[in-house]
Amino acid sequence: MTEKSLLSAQDREELTFFLDCYGGYEHHWPEENRAYILGLLKRSDEARQLRQQAIELDYLLDHALAEPACDHLYSRILAEAPRLAVQRSWSFKDIWRPLSALATATAFGLFLGTTTPTWLHEQDTSEVQEAYLAFSTTDFTENFLEGDLN
Amino acid sequence: MSRVTQGDPFACRNLVQHHTGPLVGLALRMTGNRQEAEDIAQEAFVRLWKQSPDWLPQARISTWLYRVVHNLAIDAIRRSKRQNTTSDEKMEFEDPAPDQQQRIQQRDLAIKVETAISQLPERQRTAITLVHHRDMSNKEAASVMDISVDALESLLARGRRSLKATLEQHRHDLLGAQS
């Protein structure tokens, strides 16, 4: 390894700590440090060697279990998911109240119309007729003075 | 998230399929108990469903879920007073290797690595899981664990150094097994 390819003590310390934290995979590196690390790797064999060691550990970590199979859990979890779609997508949600009020009023009217006793409205009619006949046959002129009628 | 709030079944299913495995993985690594890990992941989703009507648009679902799982796992650990795990519970993974011998080698490698990880202190395990296996940024992982980035880096560095030392004796075998 040439002298030029060796890192300064400070760069070595910083790179070693950085690789200890984040490993050798570039996509794990924080954005703010990436340019600095790539600069070191570009100019130093020692930096590349340190990175290679970090990648070996990364590779081993990749073999650890990360995501166990959980297909059997999906239905359990989804059973408790929000179920608002049907209610929210109902297109008559704005008019169901006035429609139901109108239907109730109509039904009540029909009920009254079909269940009211016949004698009730016959009596009403005869009373009106009698009052009309009495009124039309009465001579009101006797109740007024002759001069008042003129 | 707005589609989840509206009860869109496809959005809910997509969310569950995308996050359940990684969440169970984190909880499993923290608690070492498969059944408990599944319960924790399920509880995290239940809380998400409840939270969904009040969800803030700027909040990130994955970070929120991981934080809930992390906190629930911490509670579970405290309850059970158990930090170490048996490796049998952890070695359930689908190995795509077509060859039987290769599959055995892969499984052996996974068991050794997972055992080494399980021997780390819980916070170091969690930090490595979030950053390495979940590809979280340092800020996001620190947020999930409710610690500073400096504290997270300290956990990561100590954890990786311990793993490096533990796995060093197996290094050639392990790296040779994958070829």
Side-chain angles (χ1 to χ4, degrees), chain A residues 16-25 27-28 30 32-33 53-78 80-86 88, chain B residues 4-7 12-13 16-17 20-22 24-25 28-29 34 38-39 42 45-46 49 90 92-93 106 109-110 113-114 117 131-135 138-139 153 156-157 160-161 163-164 171 174-175 178:
Chain A
T16 302
F17 180 74
F18 183 87
L19 293 172
D20 279 346
C21 292
Y22 298 106
Y25 293 159
H27 67 276
H28 284 161
E32 59 268 24
N33 303 100
Q53 291 171 6
I55 285 178
E56 287 180 4
L57 181 59
D58 287 334
Y59 172 76
L60 293 175
L61 290 176
D62 287 345
H63 282 75
L65 170 70
E67 296 182 24
C70 294
D71 296 5
H72 62 287
L73 270 184
Y74 296 162
S75 56
R76 252 166 68 184
I77 293 171
L78 286 168
E80 299 176 69
R83 295 178 183 280
L84 305 174
V86 175
R88 287 178 181 241
Chain B
V4 170
T5 305
Q6 289 168 6
C12 292
R13 174 163 286 277
V16 170
Q17 287 179 340
T20 302
V24 172
L28 176 58
R29 188 160 286 165
R34 177 66 188 252
E38 291 184 357
D39 291 345
Q42 187 176 0
F45 276 105
V46 168
W49 305 145
K90 296 183 144 192
E92 302 164 25
F93 69 102
Q106 294 272 1
L109 174 59
V113 174
E114 192 64 46
I117 292 174
V131 173
H132 184 87
H133 293 107
R134 300 291 172 268
D135 294 334
N138 52 0
K139 293 183 182 69
E153 288 184 339
L156 287 170
R160 285 181 62 100
R161 284 177 198 144
L163 286 175
K164 195 174 175 182
R171 182 167 160 265
L174 298 176
L175 292 172
Q178 53 95 22

Side-chain angles (χ1 to χ4, degrees), chain B:
Chain B
M1 188 60 187
S2 60
R3 288 171 58 202
V4 170
T5 305
Q6 289 168 6
D8 182 338
F10 297 107
C12 292
R13 174 163 286 277
N14 196 25
L15 193 70
V16 170
Q17 287 179 340
H18 186 70
H19 289 293
T20 302
L23 290 172
V24 172
L26 174 64
L28 176 58
R29 188 160 286 165
M30 290 179 71
T31 64
N33 183 305
R34 177 66 188 252
Q35 185 57 50
E36 200 158 42
E38 291 184 357
D39 291 345
I40 285 170
Q42 187 176 0
E43 174 62 21
F45 276 105
V46 168
R47 292 187 183 192
L48 180 68
W49 305 145
K50 286 179 182 169
Q51 179 75 20
S52 62
D54 306 317
W55 190 261
L56 299 174
Q58 65 269 27
R60 197 170 168 189
I61 295 176
S62 61
T63 306
W64 189 91
L65 281 170
Y66 277 110
R67 188 178 299 154
V68 172
V69 165
H70 175 260
N71 292 340
L72 288 172
I74 295 272
D75 291 343
I77 291 166
R78 284 177 183 152
R79 271 199 310 272
S80 64
K81 308 284 186 191
R82 182 160 57 117
Q83 297 260 343
N84 295 322
T85 66
T86 57
S87 58
D88 289 346
E89 289 179 310
K90 296 183 144 192
M91 295 303 114
E92 302 164 25
F93 69 102
E94 291 178 19
D95 191 341
D99 178 64
Q100 182 69 15
Q101 183 63 28
Q102 193 177 357
R103 200 158 55 229
I104 292 169
Q105 287 180 332
Q106 294 272 1
R107 183 178 168 83
D108 187 47
L109 174 59
I111 289 171
K112 283 175 177 162
V113 174
E114 192 64 46
T115 303
I117 292 174
S118 72
Q119 290 167 350
L120 293 174
E122 179 271 314
R123 281 155 59 85
Q124 292 178 22
R125 278 203 308 268
T126 305
I128 288 173
T129 303
L130 293 176
V131 173
H132 184 87
H133 293 107
R134 300 291 172 268
D135 294 334
M136 280 191 186
S137 71
N138 52 0
K139 293 183 182 69
E140 195 178 3
S143 168
V144 167
M145 296 182 71
D146 198 21
I147 56 176
S148 67
V149 170
D150 285 346
L152 176 81
E153 288 184 339
S154 174
L155 291 171
L156 287 170
R158 282 184 282 147
R160 285 181 62 100
R161 284 177 198 144
S162 297
L163 286 175
K164 195 174 175 182
T166 305
L167 295 171
E168 183 62 30
Q169 55 185 319
H170 303 295
R171 182 167 160 265
H172 294 293
D173 295 340
L174 298 176
L175 292 172
Q178 53 95 22
S179 58

Side-chain angles (χ1 to χ4, degrees), chain A residues 94-140:
Chain A
D94 293 331
I95 59 168
W96 76 269
R97 284 176 190 273
L99 271 182
S100 59
L102 181 64
T104 305
T106 305
F108 187 66
L110 289 171
F111 172 76
L112 281 181
T114 54
T115 57
T116 304
T118 313
W119 59 266
L120 195 59
H121 30 111
E122 280 179 352
Q123 184 185 30
D124 289 345
T125 308
S126 60
E127 283 177 358
V128 172
Q129 285 174 341
E130 285 172 11
Y132 177 76
L133 286 170
F135 180 80
S136 57
T137 55
T138 304
D139 182 7
F140 291 105

